[in-house]
Amino acid sequence: MKLYDGGRAPNPRRVTVFLAEKGIEVEKVPVDMGQLGHKSAEVTELNPLQRLPVLLLDDGTAISETVAICRYFEELHPEPPLMGTDAKDKAIVEMWSRRMELNFLAAVANAFRHCHPAMKEWEVPQIAQWGEVNRPKALGFLEMLDGELARREFIAGDRYTIADITGMIAFDFMKPARIERPEHLTNVMRWYQAVSSRPSAKV
Amino acid sequence: MKLYDGGRAPNPRRVTVFLAEKGIEVEKVPVDMGQLGHKSAEVTELNPLQRLPVLLLDDGTAISETVAICRYFEELHPEPPLMGTDAKDKAIVEMWSRRMELNFLAAVANAFRHCHPAMKEWEVPQIAQWGEVNRPKALGFLEMLDGELARREFIAGDRYTIADITGMIAFDFMKPARIERPEHLTNVMRWYQAVSSRPSAKV
């Protein structure tokens, strides 16, 4: 098994942190996304959408999509559970995982991809107005989240999950996306401090 | 248990088709999204993001996010499996489910929300240019999919799954989004004909 990795970009990092939390080591094939390595013939063969990471199984099956790769490892190594335990808990974790991804990470990524000069060749065409409207979307989501985090320790309950991983990485990604950290949201800041202090955040 | 339903809008319909395929009946609370019923105090209390559908459990837990609701039912009623069987199959279904959602349905929805006059009060601000660039994105995805469907019957393999549900509903949604059906993609058209002929598609 080999993981085609894209380093510090948000999606590759989500899988890296997930594996660190599970204590799983996987052979990595580093791909330099700065040199557009994700558009190489080798990666395109594994993922026609030219996105990383991609997990290549020993039987030749290629799994792409961050959460699908995490699902594979969660099924094989259920402990510690990062995607929920019973039906209700799995549904709650999936709800929050999706909210963090679709309403927060996606907003931050849109701001980055459509406004940052370095993304000119990645996002064609860049539509600055679309990037701009995503900044208040991301911050509005964090305001809602602050109320939620007043009532519990982690995003999806009292246990750290994949929703915290996505949230932490989206929060870090606000910097290149030029979205100011909302220091007044004390519950969000307390949560961010906690999750980014875990050993998994350092990998 | 009650399902706050939004009728024929894509996400509510994804859950409705999923339940029909499972043969599960759930009490529904109809919400008129045309009258902005999803922004009512009652729905906002259940889902601060004001999106439908929402599943309200008997213990008061509210589950929103289409795929999280499907996950809940898949866990409780595994047959027929719509989200995969073993670790590898679950990962493949999740990969394709996400591709159908993030690369196809989202592109169609962006074209609809940012270009259709009826969405003026829903998507603020509408950015026509962003809607426009999503049309070729959706069609480009279907071209890739056509090559995949030359090799197998359904989106994620030889069995009908949640990825087919999302794909069928996104395909239907091309009409209000004013994206022409790619009749020349014969494998896609054969697949669409098959999935939309199932009894579940009629609900």
Side-chain angles (χ1 to χ4, degrees):
Chain A
M1 186 189 320
K2 284 183 204 171
L3 182 65
Y4 285 73
D5 183 43
R8 299 288 292 177
N11 284 325
R13 193 173 163 226
R14 288 163 79 192
V15 172
T16 301
V17 174
F18 189 93
L19 291 173
E21 286 283 341
K22 289 273 186 192
I24 299 171
E25 295 208 2
V26 178
E27 184 191 342
K28 285 194 176 182
V29 181
V31 180
D32 186 344
M33 294 177 76
Q35 298 294 319
L36 300 181
H38 53 295
K39 293 186 188 278
S40 69
E42 188 180 0
V43 172
T44 305
E45 176 77 21
L46 298 173
N47 182 4
L49 298 176
Q50 302 181 314
R51 307 276 172 85
L52 291 173
V54 178
L55 182 68
L56 180 60
L57 305 186
D58 291 338
D59 70 359
T61 304
I63 310 287
S64 55
E65 292 296 328
T66 296
V67 180
I69 294 170
C70 293
R71 178 83 53 197
Y72 181 75
F73 288 112
E74 179 83 0
E75 289 290 323
L76 291 183
H77 305 275
E79 295 296 327
L82 295 175
M83 299 176 88
T85 51
D86 60 11
K88 186 173 117 179
D89 191 46
K90 284 181 183 179
I92 291 171
V93 172
E94 183 132 9
M95 170 176 75
W96 278 106
S97 169
R98 291 172 58 86
R99 284 174 168 174
M100 299 314 287
E101 179 169 29
L102 304 178
N103 297 92
F104 182 35
L105 177 56
V108 177
N110 280 328
F112 178 69
R113 295 181 68 102
H114 285 274
C115 295
H116 200 291
M119 287 290 103
K120 216 179 171 73
E121 284 168 42
W122 289 55
E123 187 68 44
V124 182
Q126 278 189 318
I127 300 172
Q129 192 193 356
W130 174 238
E132 293 295 346
V133 302
N134 273 279
R135 291 197 171 108
K137 274 184 213 277
L139 289 169
F141 180 84
L142 289 180
E143 285 205 22
M144 180 278 285
L145 189 65
D146 197 65
E148 298 284 332
L149 287 172
R151 298 196 293 269
R152 57 182 183 270
E153 190 174 352
F154 295 108
I155 302 281
D158 295 326
R159 182 192 283 133
Y160 178 95
T161 69
I162 190 172
D164 297 289
I165 296 175
T166 302
M168 175 185 75
I169 288 170
F171 199 91
D172 283 336
F173 201 40
M174 289 199 298
K175 192 172 178 184
R178 296 175 190 164
I179 300 172
E180 208 162 329
R181 289 190 174 182
E183 305 281 349
H184 65 290
L185 299 178
T186 53
N187 301 299
V188 166
M189 295 310 294
R190 179 265 307 156
W191 160 83
Y192 173 72
Q193 198 58 46
V195 294
S196 59
S197 302
R198 296 168 76 93
S200 64
K202 307 292 175 290
V203 292
Chain B
M1 186 190 317
K2 284 182 204 171
L3 182 65
Y4 285 73
D5 183 44
R8 299 289 291 177
N11 283 326
R13 195 174 160 225
R14 288 163 79 192
V15 171
T16 301
V17 174
F18 189 93
L19 292 173
E21 287 283 341
K22 288 275 186 191
I24 299 171
E25 294 208 3
V26 178
E27 183 190 343
K28 285 194 176 180
V29 180
V31 180
D32 187 345
M33 293 178 75
Q35 297 295 320
L36 299 182
H38 53 294
K39 294 186 188 276
S40 69
E42 187 179 0
V43 172
T44 305
E45 176 77 23
L46 298 174
N47 182 4
L49 298 176
Q50 302 181 316
R51 306 275 172 85
L52 291 173
V54 178
L55 182 68
L56 180 59
L57 306 186
D58 292 339
D59 70 0
T61 304
I63 310 287
S64 55
E65 291 295 329
T66 295
V67 180
I69 293 171
C70 292
R71 178 82 54 196
Y72 181 74
F73 287 112
E74 179 84 359
E75 289 289 323
L76 290 183
H77 305 275
E79 295 297 327
L82 295 175
M83 300 176 88
T85 51
D86 60 12
K88 186 172 119 180
D89 191 47
K90 284 182 184 179
I92 291 171
V93 172
E94 184 132 8
M95 171 177 74
W96 277 106
S97 169
R98 291 172 59 85
R99 284 174 169 174
M100 299 314 287
E101 180 170 28
L102 304 178
N103 297 91
F104 181 36
L105 177 57
V108 177
N110 280 328
F112 178 70
R113 295 182 68 103
H114 285 275
C115 294
H116 200 291
M119 288 290 104
K120 218 181 170 72
E121 284 167 43
W122 290 54
E123 188 68 45
V124 181
Q126 277 188 317
I127 301 172
Q129 192 194 356
W130 174 238
E132 292 295 346
V133 302
N134 273 278
R135 290 197 172 108
K137 275 185 213 275
L139 289 169
F141 180 83
L142 289 180
E143 285 205 23
M144 180 278 284
L145 189 64
D146 197 64
E148 298 284 331
L149 286 171
R151 298 197 293 268
R152 56 181 185 271
E153 189 174 352
F154 295 109
I155 302 282
D158 295 327
R159 182 191 283 133
Y160 179 95
T161 68
I162 189 172
D164 296 289
I165 296 175
T166 302
M168 175 185 75
I169 288 169
F171 199 90
D172 283 336
F173 201 39
M174 289 198 299
K175 193 173 177 184
R178 295 174 190 165
I179 301 173
E180 208 162 326
R181 288 188 176 184
E183 305 281 350
H184 65 290
L185 299 178
T186 52
N187 301 300
V188 166
M189 295 310 294
R190 181 265 306 157
W191 160 83
Y192 173 71
Q193 199 58 46
V195 294
S196 61
S197 301
R198 297 168 75 94
S200 64
K202 306 294 174 291
V203 293

